Amino acid sequence: CSALPRINNGLLGRTLFIITLAPDDLRFGSRTSFIGRLFIRLDDDRPFAFAGLWSVWHDPNATEAEREAGGGTLRSCTIITGEPNEKVRTVHDRMPVILDPADYDRWLDPDATLPGEVRPLLRPYSADLMTAFPVTTAVNNPGFDDAACLTPA
């Protein structure tokens, strides 16, 4: 995964995964003339996990009283993106890394602190295990909260 070299060794002990039912609704880009949305999910509809990292930043200018009250601290996380599989590549040049359940323990291992130890886990998820279909452009409207969002267009 080309994104991994940008992960510094200090973050590799801070792995997490983010559980979801559907990986993403990807906006169609310049590779197609259709401007809409694509819903992508695993074929078996089971929940799955994105590879992620977490970090904590402390404001060096925060007073001791602010720190004791929980201020001056920013907790954040990110989902790692990487090369797309064949299905996603038709509409996007990257995709979230979906972890294989067999790799969960290895990904979360706090002793895995070198990029080479986790690099093999950051591979495109098998396109054969995913379903993708276009959905209504109404999903672009945050006020449209309806099951029709997931109906093939």
Side-chain angles (χ1 to χ4, degrees):
C1 174
S2 59
L4 190 58
R6 291 180 266 163
I7 300 171
N8 69 44
N9 289 356
L11 288 177
L12 283 176
R14 298 178 178 188
T15 55
L16 59 82
F17 53 75
I18 298 168
I19 304 296
T20 188
L21 290 172
D24 208 357
D25 54 330
L26 299 172
R27 182 178 301 278
F28 282 84
S30 60
R31 296 183 186 188
T32 178
S33 61
F34 176 75
I35 302 300
R37 301 298 267 186
L38 184 67
F39 183 75
I40 301 172
R41 64 173 172 78
L42 300 189
D43 283 342
D44 60 9
D45 284 332
R46 68 178 163 79
F48 58 93
F50 293 131
L53 298 169
W54 64 269
S55 182
V56 178
W57 176 81
H58 300 284
D59 183 349
N61 299 317
T63 66
E64 186 172 336
E66 288 171 327
R67 286 192 296 273
E68 287 176 7
T73 300
L74 175 65
R75 291 172 177 82
S76 63
C77 68
T78 187
I79 295 174
I80 297 174
T81 60
E83 297 296 319
N85 63 24
E86 301 81 28
K87 195 162 282 186
V88 175
R89 186 175 295 120
T90 63
V91 295
H92 212 286
D93 62 354
R94 60 190 165 86
M95 69 180 276
V97 173
I98 300 171
L99 293 168
D100 185 305
D103 295 330
Y104 289 175
D105 287 340
R106 190 167 164 208
W107 177 251
L108 295 176
D109 182 357
D111 295 326
T113 57
L114 299 174
E117 295 176 273
V118 296
R119 184 183 310 275
L121 308 181
L122 303 179
R123 59 190 176 274
Y125 198 79
S126 174
D128 294 336
L129 302 175
M130 299 174 79
T131 297
F133 54 86
V135 293
T136 176
T137 57
V139 299
N140 293 332
N141 177 351
F144 186 71
D145 187 13
D146 188 277
C149 287
L150 303 181
T151 302

